[in-house]
Amino acid sequence: MKWYLGIKSIYLKLIFTFLGMLFFSCMIAFTIIFATRWNTMKKNINSELLIKAENFQSFHKSYQADIYDIQRLLKDNYILIDIFSSYEDIQNNSDYKNAISKDQYTEILSGKTVKFEKLKKRRFMPAVGISAGGKVVIIHPSFNLIENFKNTAYVLLICLCLDSMLIALAARMLVKPIKKLTFATKEVSAGNFNIRVETRSSDEIGQLAENFNIMATELKNMEYLRKNFISNVSHEFKTPITAISGFVKLIRDRRLSQEDFNEYINIIILEAERLSNLSSNLLRLATVENQAIVVKSSLFFLDEQIRRVIVLLENKWSFKGINLDLQMEQLEYSGDEELLQQVWINLITNAIKFSRDGGTIKILLNKLEDRIKFQIIDNGIGIALEDKPRIFDMFYKGDKSRSNDGSGLGLAISKKIVELHNGKIYFKSEYGSGTNFTVELA
Ligand SMILES: Nc1ncnc2c1ncn2[C@@H]1O[C@H](COP(=O)(O)OP(=O)(O)O)[C@@H](O)[C@H]1O
Ligand SMILES: [Mg+2]
């Protein structure tokens, strides 16, 4: 077994296995055929020989015919008849050498019919000896019995060769994509995430190749995220800090009107808030990222929590003159209250942020059979087609013109929190006419 496991190529392994199986089954088939047919054939030939021997003797006795005439008369394509005048004659014939003993010879001469196995070149061949006209007549089949089986064996051998060729071909086709995969894996481990394995088959190996491609894409994205994370974080911090230090410098110069002073102070407060938001978001992201399960679970009313968030954000939506349409069932839920609150804050803030003045935001909360469904529907600016695949990415901000007051972390965090609660978050959006975000909690 060790040598088999030691074979480095799956191609060779397949071929060995298939050939082994083929050889084994052929052997069994051949043995069974041989065992069952051999004896009946032997019996049939023997009785045929005995009939000929009887015919020979009765021709000789009844018609007193010359034995050489009878020999010519009785022999045919299948049965041969040889006539010998002495034991030496037989011994001198290469076909019969040592096939018959002196005792058997005298037995035949005394009138008995003797069956023996003529060993022609060590092969079995049945023969019958009789005496007629003082001579020994030996009757035997013209063909070799083994020869008969040999043909079957040849056919089997040819089949074996053809099968081997087919197997080699099939194995090659099987192994080819595996070789490609091995090569691609090496490339990925060397840092080339652009490699793709082409497949046309949809079998297990085809699926493996497809999943490999997905994995390579994901790895590429992760690599991209990792590379960009630091630069994104630095960038997000740098903008408000530059603004704050700039306005502080302006204030320090003191040649400011009260109006400008107030405006600058407001900007500084806003930017400081932004910084604080950013750091708490990053902290939250780090917490959620490193969490595999909900740690701080408690039972609370979801509808109540969402209503509190709406109140919390009141100055934002009332400032834009947004109408709220709330249709929420009273629902108790067990989960991390603080984290889930963040999800509602993020989604509602987005809906307000990306709504036009005087727009409407509809919030639905329902209990379905096995889950809870939260929906927030706005008739705001919608999400552009090219942004759709990326809005859940960290630091990704879609609408560039309005992106100043966000860091693009909201949806990334929300997604993590929802998934932590075994839920899912998804959206439908039409650019220009509105967005519908749905959260389903198990
Ligand atoms: N309700 C919405 N309507 C339109 N676009 C949205 C909505 N919610 C999210 N988006 C898009 O998804 C992006 C990512 O959202 P988010 O992660 O909350 O970051 P941020 O709010 O800081 O921009 C937004 O920049 C915006 O382009
Ligand atoms: Mg947001």
Side-chain angles (χ1 to χ4, degrees):
M1 209 56 218
K2 216 171 175 182
W3 69 270
Y4 182 79
L5 293 174
I7 301 174
K8 287 242 166 59
S9 150
I10 194 167
Y11 180 60
L12 283 181
K13 252 185 205 173
L14 276 173
I15 289 181
F16 274 132
T17 315
F18 277 120
L19 283 185
M21 272 160 56
L22 211 66
F23 188 72
F24 196 63
S25 31
C26 279
M27 288 290 284
I28 290 179
F30 196 71
T31 316
I32 289 173
I33 292 172
F34 196 80
T36 51
R37 300 284 303 144
W38 177 254
N39 283 330
T40 28
M41 278 181 81
K42 228 159 98 174
K43 233 188 264 169
N44 288 345
I45 290 168
N46 274 332
S47 65
E48 195 67 27
L49 292 178
L50 286 173
I51 288 169
K52 282 272 176 192
E54 230 167 79
N55 284 347
F56 197 103
Q57 273 175 329
S58 63
F59 270 47
H60 182 62
K61 277 192 194 126
S62 315
Y63 308 112
Q64 312 287 295
D66 178 57
I67 52 169
Y68 291 99
D69 287 339
I70 303 172
Q71 179 191 29
R72 240 172 288 132
L73 191 78
L74 285 183
K75 78 171 179 194
D76 53 33
N77 284 337
Y78 304 107
I79 302 225
L80 297 179
I81 298 168
D82 290 322
I83 299 172
F84 298 101
S85 344
S86 68
Y87 185 65
E88 281 67 40
D89 246 9
I90 297 175
Q91 284 300 84
N92 288 339
N93 188 309
S94 64
D95 279 0
Y96 290 90
K97 206 169 182 201
N98 299 330
I100 178 170
S101 66
K102 185 92 190 173
D103 285 350
Q104 279 175 313
Y105 181 78
T106 38
E107 225 177 311
I108 294 170
L109 270 188
S110 72
K112 270 192 184 153
T113 303
V114 174
K115 281 190 280 178
F116 61 94
E117 292 187 353
K118 190 176 80 135
L119 289 166
K120 186 180 181 181
K121 285 180 199 147
R122 291 163 165 267
R123 288 183 204 147
F124 166 80
M125 193 186 279
V128 168
I130 48 168
S131 74
K135 302 219 158 126
V136 165
V137 178
I138 294 177
I139 303 164
H140 63 88
S142 64
F143 55 88
N144 191 316
L145 207 52
I146 292 281
E147 218 63 41
N148 226 354
F149 281 100
K150 243 185 176 168
N151 289 341
T152 322
Y154 281 143
V155 171
L156 274 176
L157 210 70
I158 291 169
C159 283
L160 215 73
C161 289
L162 281 176
D163 282 352
S164 313
M165 261 151 47
L166 282 178
I167 286 163
L169 217 72
R172 224 186 149 72
M173 270 161 64
L174 270 175
V175 170
K176 218 168 144 192
I178 297 180
K179 273 193 174 158
K180 275 196 209 161
L181 270 166
T182 315
F183 173 76
T185 321
K186 271 192 195 141
E187 283 291 296
V188 165
S189 63
N192 174 13
F193 300 118
N194 290 317
I195 187 110
R196 294 289 175 276
V197 183
E198 275 173 54
T199 46
R200 267 172 291 161
S201 69
S202 50
D203 57 11
E204 284 84 349
I205 293 176
Q207 284 165 24
L208 178 65
E210 223 167 82
N211 287 335
F212 176 89
N213 288 342
I214 294 171
M215 185 195 74
T217 316
E218 294 286 315
L219 281 176
K220 192 181 166 185
N221 288 343
M222 269 162 70
E223 175 73 359
Y224 175 82
L225 280 181
R226 192 184 63 80
K227 272 190 183 151
N228 282 277
F229 187 80
I230 310 253
S231 72
N232 277 324
V233 170
S234 334
H235 177 77
E236 290 298 324
F237 271 103
K238 208 176 155 195
T239 324
I241 289 171
T242 316
I244 290 172
S245 72
F247 286 107
V248 168
K249 269 181 204 149
L250 284 177
I251 291 169
R252 191 185 54 187
D253 290 346
R254 277 194 217 114
R255 269 167 291 151
L256 285 176
S257 63
Q258 186 61 37
E259 207 177 315
D260 281 349
F261 180 80
N262 284 346
E263 196 194 329
Y264 296 168
I265 287 289
N266 275 339
I267 292 175
I268 290 169
I269 291 171
L270 225 70
E271 292 298 318
E273 261 172 17
R274 207 162 107 114
L275 269 182
S276 129
N277 269 340
L278 181 64
S279 40
S280 38
N281 267 340
L282 279 174
L283 207 65
R284 207 168 282 125
L285 192 67
T287 321
V288 189
E289 285 250 271
N290 293 323
Q291 217 169 308
I293 48 157
V294 179
V295 191
K296 287 187 286 179
S297 195
S298 63
L299 200 64
F300 58 95
F301 283 100
L302 267 184
D303 53 312
E304 209 179 292
Q305 183 181 49
I306 293 166
R307 243 177 235 113
R308 252 186 283 125
V309 170
I310 292 168
V311 173
L312 197 78
L313 299 173
E314 182 176 356
N315 53 8
K316 288 197 183 180
W317 52 264
S318 61
F319 180 76
K320 284 183 101 169
I322 284 168
N323 305 304
L324 286 175
D325 177 3
L326 308 182
Q327 295 172 24
M328 298 197 286
E329 283 176 40
Q330 193 179 43
L331 267 180
E332 232 179 348
Y333 183 73
S334 161
D336 190 319
E337 195 171 355
E338 210 181 307
L339 289 181
L340 278 173
Q341 168 160 310
Q342 201 54 48
V343 175
W344 317 133
I345 291 178
N346 291 346
L347 290 180
I348 298 171
T349 310
N350 278 353
I352 298 169
K353 187 159 63 171
F354 299 108
S355 277
R356 300 185 187 87
D357 289 352
T360 304
I361 295 173
K362 196 167 167 180
I363 295 176
L364 309 172
L365 182 70
N366 300 100
K367 177 150 182 64
L368 303 183
E369 232 171 79
D370 52 346
R371 64 213 137 97
I372 287 166
K373 194 172 182 180
F374 166 91
Q375 269 178 291
I376 177 161
I377 304 156
D378 66 60
N379 55 1
I381 62 167
I383 301 172
L385 204 63
E386 68 265 27
D387 291 334
K388 280 184 178 174
R390 299 194 55 197
I391 60 162
F392 287 107
D393 288 356
M394 270 187 270
F395 298 108
Y396 189 80
K397 287 179 272 191
D399 192 286
K400 295 284 181 276
S401 57
R402 292 173 198 239
S403 57
N404 346 9
D405 61 335
S407 53
L409 286 175
L411 285 181
I413 293 173
S414 303
K415 187 165 192 245
K416 290 261 155 57
I417 295 174
V418 170
E419 281 169 0
L420 205 57
H421 286 83
N422 293 322
K424 51 183 178 180
I425 179 168
Y426 52 89
F427 68 95
K428 269 193 301 215
S429 181
E430 206 168 309
Y431 194 46
S433 55
T435 306
N436 175 353
F437 268 93
T438 307
V439 173
E440 285 180 19
L441 294 173

